[in-house]
């Protein structure tokens, strides 16, 4: 679905002025100028440019969402693992019919023909396409093209107005004030070299690698292989299945956007680093908006290669399902890029049923994400599609986006948790500074002096499981305790890297982590001034919100990972590596629970915090950023490595003992 034609955008802008705002209208949203420091306001959009308008309706019962999710997720609840189906979730949170009718009538009375307005399957959105002239008349605003420093383009306005009687029925409208630039969590460094080895590896190390078997654990402090991961966390090499066959309804879901794998890389990795995984093994495609993969080896991306080269060896012969959003052309040429909006659209079905620009559903390729109507049958599911495909119960992602509709998306993760899905995300690679990898330290931090720690998104949402990164320090072994990742900038091609962590400015501390975080503050003084709640943001020189949701929740190894990208051997790293490791473990445990006649784990955090002894506590390292050392890893939960790294045998014993 082409959401914006840039060829039209670059045409001559119309010179019409926004009409005077009548007393019957009120500003619904206005952008804070400080959030647009990396954007340049460009030409006004031509009047005939067509925009995909989406109206977010106020939903019912969201205040009950947390308690409802805890009821099916806390191991001491009598309703543990009794997950809801999608119809039950829609019914609980759907907007009041009066809200739908009032907003629809306003749109029709404002000149939007009723036949152009569609209602999403989850009942939370009204969608229609409109010209810029129609949108400006409707919202009493002006749309301009905005350019980001990374080259990304998006249409937006500085503010918009709605009738006063309408305001109580709306969350927000897009395109609106949001400047959406994707911020993919990039690996902290990648070394490439011909002939199989990276140039920065010593000749001695290259010789060792050339003569080392895939089971050798002596080099794990220099290169993390699948054998190292299994040894670190006690993971059996071959999962046990009844009749030696994995289930067909349990697949690990991995989200990718703007980054694509090459089959040649996977085959090189399977041949050189694993046994028993045949060449040609690949993820199951579940493409959204015309995405295409694999790609030629020279177009391969590090994120996808890293994900599949970590997950498949830990799961095989279980499958991995690829939720690829968009193809290469559209990822960089249209608004908005896939990111979580397209993914969540596919989950609730509104994407597939929304028509605009002469297209309905997917663009070009007749492949979509699976139907949410099948959620109750799956171990992680999702939306109405042309070709319904089961969605895995466990889902991993390592991407982020900075925007102001975080609460709306966070509530969607809550709803999916109610349906039994486990969403697992990377905590980020810049410690407490939270900005993109191309930003300087001040730009990555908050406040006028760049001194306030920056919580990431979506990792500050309390309804997902966030994974930080650890490493084996030099001259240590897989049998020694790991440490938090701290890798400073050391060459022109590297990215300074430390495990993301901190405290949310939006979400208060959830009940499931109350005792763990209180214990952290009671026993360990981080050494920084703090503020209490976003209403007192930065007060008295505070660097972080003492009352916010803490993250990460857990950790796993994310440094010096063996990897093939673009046909070359590399070492790679990032919390993007830690996340598929943890997600694969959860998927294997789900397989065992299903085979035992039990339900899948769903939202993990209440159980993890209820029994932290099944994780390896990490007590060394920190996550520097914003000109500080950041937080330190200490005994118990900490905002660097969370509760710790997985201990697979203990996790299996605990989770298999739950109903």
């Amino acid at each position: 679905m082409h959401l914006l034609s840039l060829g039209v955008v670059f045409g001559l802008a119309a010179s019409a002025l926004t009409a005077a705002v009548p007393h019957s209208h009120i500003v619904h949203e206005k952008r804070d100028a400080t959030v647009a420091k990396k954007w340049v306001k460009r030409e006004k959009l031509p009047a005939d440019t067509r925009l995909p308008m989406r109206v977010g309706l106020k939903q019912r019962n969201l205040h009950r969402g947390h308690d409802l999710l805890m009821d099916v997720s806390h191991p001491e609840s009598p309703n543990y693992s009794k997950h809801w189906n999608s119809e039950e979730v829609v019914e609980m949170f759907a907007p009041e019919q009066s809200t739908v009718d009032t907003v629809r009538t306003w749109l029709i009375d404002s000149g939007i023909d009723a036949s152009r307005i569609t209602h999403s399957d989850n009942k939370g959105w009204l969608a229609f396409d409109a010209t810029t002239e129609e949108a400006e008349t409707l919202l009493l605003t002006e749309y301009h093209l905005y350019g980001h420093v990374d080259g990304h383009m998006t249409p937006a306005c500085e503010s918009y107005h709605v009738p006063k009687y309408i305001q109580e029925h709306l969350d927000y409208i897009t395109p609106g004030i949001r400047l959406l630039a994707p911020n993919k969590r990039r690996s902290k460094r990648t070394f490439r070299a011909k002939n199989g080895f990276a140039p920065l590896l010593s000749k001695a190390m290259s010789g060792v690698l050339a003569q080392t078997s895939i089971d050798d654990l002596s080099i794990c402090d220099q290169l993390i292989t699948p054998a190292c991961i299994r040894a670190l966390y006690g993971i059996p090499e071959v999962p046990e299945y009844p009749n030696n066959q994995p289930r067909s309804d349990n697949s690990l879901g991995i989200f990718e956007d703007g980054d694509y794998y090459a089959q040649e890389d996977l085959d090189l990795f399977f041949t050189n680093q694993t046994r028993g995984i045949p060449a040609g093994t690949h993820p199951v495609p579940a493409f959204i908006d015309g995405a295409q993969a694999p790609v030629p080896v020279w177009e391969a991306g590090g994120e996808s290669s890293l994900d599949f080269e970590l997950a498949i060896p830990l799961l095989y012969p279980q499958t991995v399902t690829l939720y690829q959003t968009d193809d290469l052309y559209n990822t960089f040429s249209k608004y908005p890029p896939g990111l979580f909006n397209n993914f969540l659209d596919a989950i609730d079905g509104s994407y597939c049923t929304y028509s605009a620009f002469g297209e309905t559903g997917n663009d070009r390729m007749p492949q979509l994400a699976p139907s949410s109507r099948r959620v109750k049958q799956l171990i992680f599911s999702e939306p109405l599609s042309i070709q319904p495909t089961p969605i895995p119960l466990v889902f991993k992602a390592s991407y982020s986006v900075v925007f102001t509709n975080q609460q709306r998306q966070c509530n969607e993760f809550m709803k999916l948790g109610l349906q039994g899905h486990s969403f697992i995300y990377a905590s980020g690679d810049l410690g407490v500074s939270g900005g993109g990898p191309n930003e300087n330290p001040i730009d990555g931090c908050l406040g006028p002096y760049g001194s306030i720690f920056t919580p990431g998104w979506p990792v500050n949402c309390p309804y997902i499981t966030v994974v930080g990164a650890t490493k084996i320090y030099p001259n240590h072994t897989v049998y020694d305790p790991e440490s938090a990742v701290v890798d400073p900038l050391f060459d022109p091609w590297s990215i300074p890297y430390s495990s993301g962590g901190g405290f949310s400015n939006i979400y208060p501390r959830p009940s499931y982590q109350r005792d763990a975080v209180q214990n952290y503050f009671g026993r360990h003084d981080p050494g920084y001034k703090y503020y209490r709640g976003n209403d007192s943001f930065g007060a008295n020189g505070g660097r972080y919100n003492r009352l916010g949701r803490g993250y990460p929740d857990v950790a796993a190894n994310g440094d010096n990972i063996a990897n093939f990208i673009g046909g070359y051997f590399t070492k790679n790293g990032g919390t993007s590596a830690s996340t598929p490791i943890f997600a694969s473990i959860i998927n294997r445990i789900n397989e065992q629970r299903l085979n035992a006649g039990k339900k899948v784990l769903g939202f993990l955090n209440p159980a993890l915090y209820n029994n932290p002894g099944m994780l390896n506590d990490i007590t060394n390292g920190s996550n520097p950023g914003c000109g500080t050392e950041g937080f330190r890893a200490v005994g118990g939960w900490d905002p660097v490595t969370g509760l710790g790294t997985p201990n697979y045998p203990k996790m299996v014993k605990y989770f298999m003992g739950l109903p």
Side-chain angles (χ1 to χ4, degrees):
M1 182 186 301
H2 296 290
L3 302 182
L4 178 66
S5 171
L6 291 184
V8 173
V9 167
F10 291 119
L12 295 177
S15 59
L17 299 176
T18 303
V21 179
H23 294 298
S24 59
H25 284 59
I26 191 172
V27 174
H28 189 65
E29 286 192 296
K30 183 176 182 179
R31 186 188 313 116
D32 182 345
T34 62
V35 305
K37 59 185 176 182
K38 293 200 170 192
W39 293 84
V40 176
K41 182 178 180 180
R42 301 181 57 172
E43 61 266 38
K44 188 179 181 302
L45 293 185
D48 58 352
T49 300
R50 291 181 295 177
L51 299 172
M53 308 301 297
R54 292 179 60 93
V55 180
L57 304 172
K58 287 286 187 184
Q59 301 172 79
R60 294 181 299 126
N61 297 323
L62 291 175
H63 64 287
R64 299 180 57 191
H66 177 83
D67 291 342
L68 293 172
L69 181 58
M70 295 305 104
D71 186 49
V72 298
S73 304
H74 198 286
E76 296 178 359
S77 168
N79 292 318
Y80 178 75
S81 81
K82 296 179 181 179
H83 301 121
W84 298 27
N85 62 41
S86 60
E87 290 82 5
E88 292 170 331
V89 170
V90 169
E91 176 61 28
M92 174 59 68
F93 299 107
E96 297 284 358
Q97 187 60 46
S98 60
T99 287
V100 179
D101 294 341
T102 299
V103 175
R104 182 188 292 273
T105 299
W106 166 58
L107 295 175
I108 294 172
D109 291 345
S110 300
I112 307 300
D113 190 88
S115 63
R116 295 161 56 187
I117 304 171
T118 59
H119 196 187
S120 66
D121 283 2
N122 75 349
K123 309 303 181 184
W125 298 89
L126 291 179
F128 58 96
D129 61 306
T131 65
T132 300
E133 182 178 22
E134 288 177 317
E136 290 179 340
T137 300
L138 178 71
L139 301 176
L140 302 180
T141 189
E142 283 189 350
Y143 281 96
H144 287 255
L145 184 68
Y146 286 76
H148 192 264
V149 293
D150 67 1
H152 183 74
M153 302 285 187
T154 188
C157 56
E158 294 181 355
S159 64
Y160 63 89
H161 303 77
V162 298
K164 293 177 181 179
Y165 74 93
I166 287 291
Q167 188 172 38
E168 64 178 302
H169 299 289
L170 302 180
D171 277 343
Y172 59 89
I173 298 175
T174 64
I177 67 169
R178 288 158 182 78
L179 299 174
L180 308 180
N183 173 22
K184 193 180 113 178
R185 298 202 180 283
R186 291 168 41 186
S187 302
K188 57 98 180 177
R189 68 175 184 264
T190 297
F191 303 134
R192 288 194 176 189
K194 294 183 178 180
N195 305 319
F197 297 105
L200 299 184
L201 296 179
S202 67
K203 291 183 178 180
M205 183 61 185
S206 296
V208 169
L209 288 172
Q211 303 174 34
T212 298
S213 75
I214 60 175
D215 297 315
D216 192 345
L217 303 179
S218 66
I219 61 171
C220 294
D221 61 330
Q222 302 172 68
L223 186 72
I224 295 293
T225 65
C228 297
I229 297 169
R230 290 194 297 269
L232 277 169
Y233 307 130
I235 307 171
E237 181 171 2
V238 180
E240 295 183 3
Y241 306 111
N243 304 319
N244 296 318
Q245 290 294 323
R247 300 181 65 92
S248 61
D249 59 352
N250 179 30
S251 182
L252 173 66
I254 293 182
F255 171 85
E256 305 288 355
D257 178 82
D259 186 287
Y260 312 89
Y261 79 94
Q263 188 62 48
E264 291 90 335
D265 287 334
L266 302 191
D267 292 344
L268 280 169
F269 189 85
F270 299 151
T271 299
N272 288 279
Q273 296 293 336
T274 72
R275 63 168 60 87
I277 302 180
T281 300
H282 59 82
V284 178
F287 295 154
I288 301 170
D289 193 20
Q292 298 176 354
V295 296
V297 68
W298 56 87
E299 293 181 3
E303 186 74 39
S304 296
S305 299
L306 188 64
D307 285 340
F308 300 127
E309 290 170 19
L310 283 165
I312 291 176
L314 294 177
L315 289 173
Y316 186 83
Q318 287 177 234
T319 61
V320 172
T321 298
L322 166 60
Y323 293 88
Q324 185 81 54
T325 306
D326 229 345
D327 56 45
L328 187 61
Y329 172 79
N330 285 319
T331 291
F332 297 104
S333 67
K334 75 180 193 182
Y335 164 82
L339 236 39
F340 299 123
N341 282 337
N342 271 12
F343 176 72
L344 291 172
D345 279 356
I347 287 174
D348 69 37
S350 61
Y351 180 80
C352 305
T353 57
Y354 172 55
S355 297
F357 310 105
E359 300 174 357
T360 298
N362 269 355
D363 178 26
R364 298 191 299 189
M365 297 291 288
Q367 296 167 303
L368 287 174
S371 174
S372 61
R373 296 174 180 175
R374 305 188 61 183
V375 167
K376 58 189 176 189
Q377 306 170 9
L378 311 172
I379 186 170
F380 155 19
S381 318
E382 318 248 71
L384 178 64
S385 65
I386 296 172
Q387 294 182 340
T389 306
I391 290 187
L393 270 175
V394 181
F395 177 82
K396 172 269 171 192
S398 303
Y399 296 71
S400 178
V401 63
V402 180
F403 52 179
T404 57
N405 61 341
Q406 295 186 11
Q407 290 176 310
R408 181 105 182 183
Q409 283 200 352
C410 189
N411 285 329
E412 293 305 306
F413 294 126
M414 175 270 292
K415 296 176 189 177
L416 289 162
L418 273 173
Q419 297 172 64
H421 307 314
S422 303
F423 278 79
I424 302 172
Y425 284 80
S427 71
D429 301 342
L430 287 180
V432 296
S433 63
N438 294 323
E439 296 178 346
N440 64 47
I442 291 181
D443 285 340
C445 303
L446 299 174
Y449 306 107
S451 60
I452 301 175
F453 300 161
T454 307
W457 170 258
V459 294
N460 65 2
C461 174
Y463 304 130
I464 61 178
T465 300
V466 183
V467 187
T470 55
K471 67 180 296 182
I472 300 175
Y473 274 34
N475 301 317
H476 288 66
T477 74
V478 293
Y479 306 108
D480 297 323
E482 294 179 81
S483 299
V485 169
V486 182
D487 287 353
L489 181 72
F490 67 94
D491 66 63
W493 297 277
S494 72
I495 298 172
Y497 168 34
S498 60
S499 183
F503 298 90
S504 174
N505 282 325
I506 298 177
Y507 302 101
R509 189 179 308 155
S511 59
Y512 60 76
Q513 70 167 192
R514 180 187 59 235
D515 292 345
V517 177
Q518 286 179 348
N519 180 68
Y520 167 74
F521 285 127
R523 298 176 57 188
H524 309 283
D525 179 10
Y528 307 112
K529 294 180 179 180
Y530 57 86
Y531 48 96
R532 301 180 68 86
N534 198 37
D535 289 343
S536 63
F537 177 80
N540 303 316
R543 289 183 178 269
Y544 67 95
N545 177 19
R546 187 84 161 198
L547 304 182
R549 183 270 206 262
Y551 73 94
D553 301 299
V554 294
N557 196 283
D559 201 37
N560 298 322
I561 308 293
N563 192 202
F564 277 90
I565 304 174
Y568 298 134
F569 175 81
T570 74
K571 285 206 306 186
N572 215 329
T575 54
S576 297
S578 312
T579 309
I581 294 173
F582 195 88
S584 297
I585 288 173
I586 297 302
N587 207 68
R588 286 183 62 152
I589 296 174
N590 272 338
E591 184 89 359
Q592 294 183 57
R593 283 182 58 86
L594 288 169
N595 286 333
K598 296 175 181 283
K599 300 292 184 63
V600 296
L601 296 176
F603 180 48
L604 301 170
N605 293 8
L608 293 171
Y609 282 89
N610 195 60
N611 185 29
M614 62 180 161
L615 300 162
N616 306 312
D617 195 10
I618 305 299
T619 59
N620 184 58
S622 63
N623 55 355
C626 301
T628 74
E629 187 184 60
F631 298 106
R632 293 202 62 80
V634 296
W637 179 89
D638 55 67
V640 188
T641 58
L643 297 168
T645 60
N647 183 313
Y648 184 78
K650 289 183 178 181
M651 292 178 71
V652 170
K653 181 179 179 179
Y654 175 74
F655 283 121
M656 291 303 293
L658 295 178

